[in-house]
Amino acid sequence: ASINSMYQYSLEWYINLFMLAIDKAAKSDVFEERIEALNLTFTEVLYVNVCRSLFAKDKLLFSFLLTTKIMLGSETLDPRELRYLLQGDTAMDLL
């Protein structure tokens, strides 16, 4: 399947979003707090800007993918549970 050209974003576009997030994120002298603020702000900036350019039918899927990736990265979602949600029970009962 080919990707709609409307959904192809440049590295420059991502860098600009990241720079915007750096400017918008809450400042902190505590390293961990600053990183958390940057992560949250970049996620929000990315979500808003990508959704702005998506077809309405694709926004929910993008939200789901972004959420599951965040949850997998923070280990709040078990990959096996996600696989079960997406594929169902694939084990065959042979009895």
Side-chain angles (χ1 to χ4, degrees):
S2 63
I3 297 174
N4 186 315
S5 62
M6 184 174 155
Y7 291 172
Q8 295 177 7
Y9 302 98
S10 68
L11 177 59
E12 181 182 359
W13 184 80
Y14 279 103
I15 290 171
N16 288 334
L17 286 183
F18 187 70
M19 298 305 287
L20 176 63
I22 290 173
D23 291 339
K24 284 183 66 175
K27 310 295 187 250
S28 177
D29 292 331
V30 179
F31 179 75
E32 290 79 12
E33 290 176 8
R34 178 65 174 159
I35 294 299
E36 180 68 20
L38 286 170
N39 280 333
L40 291 173
T41 305
F42 181 71
T43 301
E44 179 185 2
V45 168
L46 178 70
Y47 177 79
V48 168
N49 282 277
V50 169
C51 280
R52 184 179 302 147
S53 64
L54 289 177
F55 295 121
K57 67 179 183 70
D58 297 328
K59 289 181 183 183
L60 184 60
L61 178 59
F62 175 70
S63 298
F64 176 76
L65 290 172
L66 184 61
T67 301
T68 55
K69 288 296 185 182
I70 290 169
M71 291 179 73
L72 288 168
S74 65
E75 297 181 350
T76 56
L77 175 63
D78 186 329
R80 295 170 296 174
E81 291 175 350
L82 177 60
R83 190 174 331 109
Y84 183 80
L85 172 70
L86 297 175
Q87 295 179 340
D89 187 9
T90 57
M92 295 180 61
D93 186 8
L94 299 176
L95 296 177

